[in-house]
C-alpha cells in the first residue's frame, strides 16, 4: 500500500508541475493574457506560517491529517539558532542542526592547542559537553495576530510619522506579550514581524535558552565536503551535521515533551517531507519595477564587492595562513563565497525571460482585479506607478551605492578609513570647543576601532580605493584625492605609510599629543568622502523609507486580493514547507533522489584528494562496519531558503529523516519565484548521520539517546547498557 500511495503522490506532484508551468518561455508585458506564459499557483511559494496552518491543503494533497496537536508539536520541536534552524531530537534537550551553522561556535568552544573545526568534536560524557559563549536557541511558544493594532496605529499617523508609530506599536505589543507569557526565571523574546511586507503583522513569542552546549560536530572537511565548487550543487556528498544540547536553569539537560523521533528507516523517492525552519527574506512579492532595479543596480554592485573582498581575504590567507586561521578568516571567506554564489544565482534568475514573464503576468492579474473593483481601485489603483517612480529616483544613486557598499562593515572595510570618518567628527568637536563629555565620547569611539593585520588592512584599503575609481570615475573629487599615487595599490600603501590613523598605536599617540589635524592624508580623503556619503545616505535612505511604506501598502492591497491563499515572503520567522523526495533532470542526465557513501569515496579518489574533496585521516579508508550504500544526501521539492539551514525534514509521523543544508543551482531563483520542477532543497540523510556516529565517531551514548530517548551520562554507561 505504501508503494501505491507513493506512486499516486508522485503522479499528483508531477501533474501539478506540468499544469502550473507551461513550456513556453518567451513573453513581453501584456502578452500573458494571450496564453504565452502564465504565473503558477505556487509561484509565491509554500512557506506556510503556523498561524495560518495549511490543514486542508496537507490533507487534500498528501492525505496528512494534521490537526492542532500535530502543528503544535512541529512548531515546538523546531528551534531557531543564530542564523539557522535546529530541532529537538530527544526529551533531554538534544538538538540536531548543520555543521556549517555551528562553525563559529566550534571555534569558540576550542581550547588552546585544539583545532576542533578540522578535527571534529564529540563529548564522551555530559560533563564534557562545552558551553558556547554568547549563544542562544529560541523556541516559538505563542503567536498573536496583531495586524489590527499595528495598522490602526499606522493609519492614524501622518505619512512622516508612520514608521515611528509602527515602532511604538511594536514596542507596546512586545512589552504586553512578555508580561502575558513570561514566568519567573523565563527568558522571553518577542518579535513583531510584518508579513506580506506589512500587509499583516504577527507577534512571535519565543522562549530563549542561553545555556547551549556543543555535543558533537563532524570535521570541517566532512561537513563542507566539496567546498565552494560543490556549494549550491547536486549530487552532493556532505556530512553536514552537528549536535547541541540545551541546559536548564538548574544546570541539567533541559527536559522537553516536544521533540522529533529519530527516523532511522529514512524515506524513499515519492515520500512527502515537511521542512520546518526560519527562511530568510525573499523578494517574491516585490513588483517588477523593484526586480528590475535589483537586476540593474543592487545585484551587480553586491557581486562586485563580494568578489573583491573575497579576493583580499584569500590573498591575505595565502600569505599568512597561521594568522588568518587565528582570526577566523576561513569562516569569513566561507560566508562571503556563499553569499557571492547566491547573488550570482539571483542575477541569473532575473536574466531568465520565463521567470520575469511569469512575474509580469502575476502583476498583470493583480492589476486587473484592482482596476475591476472601484473601492480597491480608489485606494490602490496608482500604487504600482508610485513604486516604479521610487525605483527611477533610486537609480541616480547607483554609483555611490556601489562605491560605498559595505562601507561601514568592520569585517570587509578598511580600519583607517573608518577611523578617518570618525576622526572628522572628533576633530570638528575639539576645534569648536564642544562640551568635554561630548569630545570624550567621540574620542572613545574613535579609539575603539581595532586594527586589521597590516597586510589585510592594505588589501582592504586598496579594494575601497578601486571601488571609488570604478564607480565615480577618474575625474571625480574623491578619486583624484584617493589615487594621488596613481593606482589603488600604490595609493593605499602611501596613505598607510603617512597617516597617523594607520594603526591604533599611532592614532593613540596622535590623540594623546593633540597632534591630529586636517593635513593627515586619511583625514583629507575622509573630508572629501563625507559630503558625498552623507548625500547618498540621506537621499537613498529617504527613498528606501518611502519604498518601505509603499511596500506595506502594496502588501495590504495584495492581501485584499488574495488573502491567505498565498503564503507571505520569507521573514526569518518560523515556517513549515511541504515537498516530495524527487530526483530531477540536469545536464542531459538525471540526478538521483539520493547519494551514498560510495559517491563520497568516488569524489575523493576522482579528484586525487584535492583540497575541496580531501577526507580526514580516519575517513580515508572506509571504517569497518560502514555500509557504503547508506544514503548520504537527498533532495526534495520543499520550499526552502537561506535561514533554513539546519531545518528538520520530517515525515507525516513527525520523525526526523533529514537536515536541510543547501539548495541546488536552480533553487537560487527561489528569492523571486518557487519552481519545484527545477529547484531542490538538499538534506543530510539521518541514516548517514547514524552510521557516522556508530561506526566512525563511536558516539554510542548519542546513538542510544536518539534511538531510545534515554539519557546516558557517559560513553561507558551507554556501552554497558547497549550490550
Amino acid at each position: 500500500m505504501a508503494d501505491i500511495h507513493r506512486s499516486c503522490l508522485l503522479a499528483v506532484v508531477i501533474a501539478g508541475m506540468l499544469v502550473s508551468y507551461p513550456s513556453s518561455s518567451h513573453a513581453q508585458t501584456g502578452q500573458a493574457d494571450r496564453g504565452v506564459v502564465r504565473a503558477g499557483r505556487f509561484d509565491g511559494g509554500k512557506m506556510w506560517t503556523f498561524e495560518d496552518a495549511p490543514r486542508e491543503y496537507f490533507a487534500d494533497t498528501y492525505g496528512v491529517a494534521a490537526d492542532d496537536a500535530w502543528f503544535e508539536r512541529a512548531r515546538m520541536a523546531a528551534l531557531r539558532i543564530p542564523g539557522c534552524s535546529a530541532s529537538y531530537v530527544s526529551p533531554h534537550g538534544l538538538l540536531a542542526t548543520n555543521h556549517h551553522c555551528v562553525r563559529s561556535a566550534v571555534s569558540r568552544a576550542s581550547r588552546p592547542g585544539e583545532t576542533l573545526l578540522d578535527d571534529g568534536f564529540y563529548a564522551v560524557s555530559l560533563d564534557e559537553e562545552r558551553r558556547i559563549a554568547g549563544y542562544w536557541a529560541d523556541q516559538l511558544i505563542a503567536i498573536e495576530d496583531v495586524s489590527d493594532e499595528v495598522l490602526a496605529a499606522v493609519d492614524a499617523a501622518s505619512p512622516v510619522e508612520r514608521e515611528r508609530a509602527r515602532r511604538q506599536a511594536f514596542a507596546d505589543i512586545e512589552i504586553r506579550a512578555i508580561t502575558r507569557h513570561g514566568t519567573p526565571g523565563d527568558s522571553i523574546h518577542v518579535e513583531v514581524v510584518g508579513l506580506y511586507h506589512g500587509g499583516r503583522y504577527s507577534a512571535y513569542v519565543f522562549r530563549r535558552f542561553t545555556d547551549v552546549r556543543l555535543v558533537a560536530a563532524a570535521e570541517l572537511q566532512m561537513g563542507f565536503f566539496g567546498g565552494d565548487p560543490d556549494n549550491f550543487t547536486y549530487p552532493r556528498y556532505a556530512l553536514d551535521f552537528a549536535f547541541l544540547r540545551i541546559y536548564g536553569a538548574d544546570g541539567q539537560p533541559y527536559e522537553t515533551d516536544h521533540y522529533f523521533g529519530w527516523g532511522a528507516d529514512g524515506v524513499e523517492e515519492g515520500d512527502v517531507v515537511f521542512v520546518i525552519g526560519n527562511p530568510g527574506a525573499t523578494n517574491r512579492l516585490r513588483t517588477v519595477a523593484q526586480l528590475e532595479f535589483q537586476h540593474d543596480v543592487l545585484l551587480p554592485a553586491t557581486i562586485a564587492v563580494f568578489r573583491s573582498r573575497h579576493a583580499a581575504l584569500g590573498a591575505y590567507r595565502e600569505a599568512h595562513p597561521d594568522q588568518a586561521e587565528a582570526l577566523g578568516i576561513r569562516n569569513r571567506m566561507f560566508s562571503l563565497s556563499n553569499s557571492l554564489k547566491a547573488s550570482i544565482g539571483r542575477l541569473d534568475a532575473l536574466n531568465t525571460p520565463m521567470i520575469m514573464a511569469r512575474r509580469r503576468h502575476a502583476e498583470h492579474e493583480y492589476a486587473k482585479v484592482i482596476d475591476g473593483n472601484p473601492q480597491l481601485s480608489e485606494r490602490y489603483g496608482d500604487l504600482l506607478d508610485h513604486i516604479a517612480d521610487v525605483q527611477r529616483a533610486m537609480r541616480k544613486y547607483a554609483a555611490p551605492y556601489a562605491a560605498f557598499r559595505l562601507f561601514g562593515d568592520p569585517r570587509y572595510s578598511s580600519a583607517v578609513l573608518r577611523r578617518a570618518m570618525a576622526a572628522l567628527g572628533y576633530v570638528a568637536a575639539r576645534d569648536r570647543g564642544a562640551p568635554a563629555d561630548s569630545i570624550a565620547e567621540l574620542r572613545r569611539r574613535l579609539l575603539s576601532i581595532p586594527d586589521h593585520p597590516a597586510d589585510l588592512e592594505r588589501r582592504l584599503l586598496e579594494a575601497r580605493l578601486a571601488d571609488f575609481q570604478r564607480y565615480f570615475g577618474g575625474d571625480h573629487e574623491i578619486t583624484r584625492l584617493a589615487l594621488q599615487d596613481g593606482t589603488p595599490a600604490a595609493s593605499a600603501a602611501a596613505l598607510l605609510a603617512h597617516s597617523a590613523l594607520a594603526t591604533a598605536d599611532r592614532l593613540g599617540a596622535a590623540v594623546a599629543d593633540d597632534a591630529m589635524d586636517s593635513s593627515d592624508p586619511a583625514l583629507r580623503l575622509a573630508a572629501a568622502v563625507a559630503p558625498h556619503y552623507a548625500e547618498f545616505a540621506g537621499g537613498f535612505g529617504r527613498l528606501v523609507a518611502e519604498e518601505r511604506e509603499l511596500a506595506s501598502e502594496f502588501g495590504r492591497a495584495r492581501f485584499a486580493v488574495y488573502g491567505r491563499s498565498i503564503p507571505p515572503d520569507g521573514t526569518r520567522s518560523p515556517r513549515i514547507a511541504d515537498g516530495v523526495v524527487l530526483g530531477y533532470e540536469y545536464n542531459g542526465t538525471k540526478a538521483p533522489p539520493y547519494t551514498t557513501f560510495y559517491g563520497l569515496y568516488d569524489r575523493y579518489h576522482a579528484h586525487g584528494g584535492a583540497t575541496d574533496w580531501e577526507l580526514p585521516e580516519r575517513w580515508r579508508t572506509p571504517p569497518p562496519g560502514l555500509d557504503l550504500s547508506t544514503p548520504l544526501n537527498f533532495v526534495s521539492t520543499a520550499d526552502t531558503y537561506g535561514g533554513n539551514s539546519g531545518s528538520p525534514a520530517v515525515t507525516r509521523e513527525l520523525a526526523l529523516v533529514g537536515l536541510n543544508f543547501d539548495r541546488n543551482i536552480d533553487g537560487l531563483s527561489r528569492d523571486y519565484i518557487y519552481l519545484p520542477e527545477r529547484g531542490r532543497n538538499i538534506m543530510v540523510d539521518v541514516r548517514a548521520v547514524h552510521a557516522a556516529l556508530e561506526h566512525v565517531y563511536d558516539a554510542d551514548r548519542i546513538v542510544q539517546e536518539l534511538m531510545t530517548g534515554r539519557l546516558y551520562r557517559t560513553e561507558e554507561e551507554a556501552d554497558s547498557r547497549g550490550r
Side-chain angles (χ1 to χ4, degrees):
M1 287 295 292
D3 288 340
I4 294 174
H5 178 77
R6 189 176 295 115
S7 298
C8 291
L9 182 55
L10 271 174
V12 169
V13 171
I14 293 171
M17 290 178 180
L18 295 176
V19 169
S20 298
Y21 305 96
S23 58
S24 176
S25 61
H26 175 74
Q28 300 296 325
T29 304
Q31 290 181 316
D33 279 348
R34 297 196 291 274
V36 179
V37 174
R38 291 182 177 276
R41 174 186 176 188
F42 291 118
D43 279 9
K46 296 197 290 182
M47 296 177 178
W48 309 102
T49 63
F50 282 94
E51 54 266 47
D52 293 316
R55 295 172 179 82
E56 292 184 5
Y57 168 74
F58 283 5
D60 293 344
T61 307
Y62 307 111
V64 176
D67 57 12
D68 289 346
W70 191 93
F71 279 106
E72 180 182 11
R73 183 178 164 202
R75 168 174 55 83
M76 295 284 282
L79 286 84
R80 185 173 66 178
I81 58 177
C84 287
S85 304
S87 57
Y88 283 125
V89 288
S90 94
H92 310 293
L94 188 66
L95 295 182
T97 188
N98 287 153
H99 180 275
H100 77 261
C101 291
V102 298
R103 280 182 196 147
S104 62
V106 171
S107 296
R108 294 205 300 274
S110 296
R111 294 167 181 164
E114 291 181 331
T115 53
L116 300 186
L117 199 59
D118 290 314
D119 298 337
F121 174 77
Y122 169 55
V124 298
S125 70
L126 278 179
D127 291 341
E128 294 186 38
E129 294 179 357
R130 299 189 184 181
R131 186 165 184 173
I132 306 166
Y135 208 74
W136 48 262
D138 284 345
Q139 179 187 43
L140 181 61
I141 60 174
I143 309 169
E144 298 179 18
D145 184 342
V146 294
S147 302
D148 292 345
E149 181 175 351
V150 175
L151 294 176
V154 170
D155 289 344
S158 65
V160 296
E161 290 292 315
R162 283 176 183 166
E163 181 60 20
R164 185 202 61 78
R166 183 182 291 109
R167 293 186 180 280
Q168 183 59 54
F170 285 6
D172 294 342
I173 292 165
E174 289 167 6
I175 292 171
R176 187 175 68 240
I178 290 173
T179 302
R180 179 181 303 165
H181 295 282
T183 59
D186 268 355
S187 177
I188 299 296
H189 177 69
V190 179
E191 293 180 9
V192 181
V193 176
L195 305 172
Y196 303 98
H197 297 277
R200 306 295 293 173
Y201 290 89
S202 286
Y204 294 97
V205 183
F206 297 93
R207 178 178 292 115
R208 173 159 289 186
F209 301 94
T210 56
D211 188 348
V212 184
R213 306 188 192 185
L214 181 65
V215 177
E219 303 92 339
L220 174 64
Q221 202 59 38
M222 294 301 295
F224 197 45
F225 184 80
D228 187 60
D230 281 4
N231 194 26
F232 294 121
T233 69
Y234 186 82
R236 194 73 173 274
Y237 309 91
L239 194 63
D240 195 349
F241 83 91
F243 288 95
L244 308 170
R245 193 185 304 276
I246 290 177
Y247 281 70
D250 59 358
Q252 296 300 311
Y254 182 77
E255 300 298 319
T256 178
D257 294 328
H258 299 94
Y259 61 95
F260 297 124
W262 189 247
D265 293 333
V267 285
E268 300 179 24
E269 185 168 25
D271 283 344
V272 60
V273 291
F274 303 94
V275 179
I276 307 157
N278 304 274
T282 54
N283 288 277
R284 299 171 184 178
L285 302 184
R286 300 287 183 186
T287 70
V288 171
Q290 288 174 305
L291 300 189
E292 290 172 341
F293 180 70
Q294 289 194 20
H295 172 274
D296 296 344
V297 178
L298 302 187
L299 283 171
T302 298
I303 289 168
V305 76
F306 284 172
R307 277 182 172 149
S308 68
R309 275 33 173 204
H310 189 273
L313 294 176
Y316 174 75
R317 184 182 175 212
E318 184 176 352
H320 310 280
D322 293 339
Q323 297 94 318
E325 190 64 21
L327 290 170
I329 296 296
R330 180 166 46 162
N331 281 340
R332 212 180 300 176
M333 290 181 67
F334 287 155
S335 177
L336 262 184
S337 63
N338 185 73
S339 298
L340 173 59
K341 208 166 189 178
S343 296
I344 293 171
R346 294 169 66 201
L347 186 59
D348 286 345
L350 295 181
N351 280 324
T352 303
M354 177 271 292
I355 290 175
M356 292 302 294
R358 284 167 65 154
R359 291 300 306 266
R360 289 189 181 96
H361 176 248
E363 192 166 294
H364 178 72
E365 291 299 298
Y366 154 83
K368 282 203 307 183
V369 175
I370 294 294
D371 292 343
N373 183 311
Q375 190 173 13
L376 293 178
S377 180
E378 182 179 359
R379 176 165 182 175
Y380 302 119
D382 56 359
L383 193 53
L384 288 174
D385 290 337
H386 286 169
I387 294 173
D389 289 341
V390 171
Q391 307 311 301
R392 282 189 284 271
M394 283 179 163
R395 287 178 182 268
K396 77 174 185 177
Y397 293 103
Y401 177 87
F404 295 131
R405 193 76 170 92
L406 300 181
F407 190 63
D409 192 318
R411 299 168 299 172
Y412 309 118
S413 292
S414 157
V416 68
L417 276 187
R418 291 173 57 232
R419 288 188 187 118
M421 296 295 285
L424 286 177
Y426 166 71
V427 170
R430 182 200 63 187
D431 291 349
R432 71 170 181 267
D437 57 343
S438 298
I439 295 175
E441 176 59 19
L442 291 169
R443 182 170 57 244
R444 185 196 65 77
R445 293 180 186 176
L446 171 61
L447 295 175
S448 70
I449 298 173
D451 284 334
H452 290 302
D455 191 33
L456 179 59
E457 171 64 25
R458 177 180 59 80
R459 295 177 191 278
L460 291 174
L461 178 57
E462 178 184 341
R464 182 61 66 188
L465 301 187
D467 292 340
F468 293 157
Q469 181 182 43
R470 177 178 180 180
Y471 296 110
F472 288 139
D475 293 333
H476 193 278
E477 173 191 10
I478 292 176
T479 309
R480 290 199 307 269
L481 194 57
L483 300 186
Q484 291 189 67
D485 289 83
T487 66
S491 299
L495 189 150
L496 291 170
H498 297 103
S499 174
L501 285 76
T503 69
D505 287 345
R506 284 158 64 180
L507 172 64
V511 170
D513 295 341
D514 204 19
M516 191 185 313
D517 60 41
S518 59
S519 65
D520 186 282
L523 273 175
R524 290 177 58 212
L525 178 57
V529 166
H532 294 280
Y533 184 76
E535 180 187 1
F536 158 70
F540 193 76
R542 284 189 292 273
L543 290 170
V544 168
E546 183 178 354
E547 180 188 43
R548 185 167 55 245
E549 291 302 322
L550 290 171
S552 177
E553 194 73 355
F554 185 50
R556 295 172 76 169
R558 286 185 63 94
F559 194 80
V561 172
Y562 300 111
R564 292 178 171 85
S565 64
I566 299 175
D569 263 345
T571 52
R572 273 290 284 154
S573 56
R575 306 293 181 90
I576 181 168
D578 57 286
V580 173
V581 178
L582 191 64
Y584 61 98
E585 293 182 357
Y586 84 116
N587 279 359
T589 184
K590 185 172 182 179
Y594 300 96
T595 62
T596 68
F597 282 111
Y598 277 120
L600 173 85
Y601 283 100
D602 178 69
R603 294 286 277 174
Y604 166 64
H605 289 292
H607 285 284
T611 300
D612 289 313
W613 298 276
E614 186 179 6
L615 288 174
E617 182 66 34
R618 62 179 159 188
W619 280 93
R620 289 177 188 167
T621 299
L626 180 65
D627 181 355
L628 298 186
S629 68
T630 303
L632 176 53
N633 295 158
F634 71 99
V635 288
S636 88
T637 61
D639 185 11
T640 64
Y641 197 67
N644 272 123
S645 288
S647 291
V650 300
T651 64
R652 63 183 69 231
E653 295 81 23
L654 295 179
L656 181 75
V657 290
L659 299 172
N660 186 84
F661 73 96
D662 207 357
R663 287 160 284 149
N664 64 355
I665 286 289
D666 288 327
L668 293 175
S669 63
R670 287 182 177 178
D671 191 9
Y672 306 109
I673 193 169
Y674 171 60
L675 301 174
E677 80 280 18
R678 297 166 46 129
R680 293 291 184 275
N681 66 305
I682 309 172
M683 292 158 283
V684 182
D685 196 301
V686 300
R687 289 171 286 189
V689 175
H690 190 122
L693 290 173
E694 187 169 14
H695 299 296
V696 182
Y697 302 119
D698 193 24
D700 292 331
R701 76 181 186 94
I702 303 305
V703 171
Q704 291 296 321
E705 184 174 350
L706 292 169
M707 296 300 293
T708 69
R710 295 183 59 181
L711 179 65
Y712 294 91
R713 302 195 70 86
T714 66
E715 187 69 17
E716 292 78 6
E717 182 184 352
D719 288 339
S720 64
R721 296 287 179 87
R723 286 196 290 268

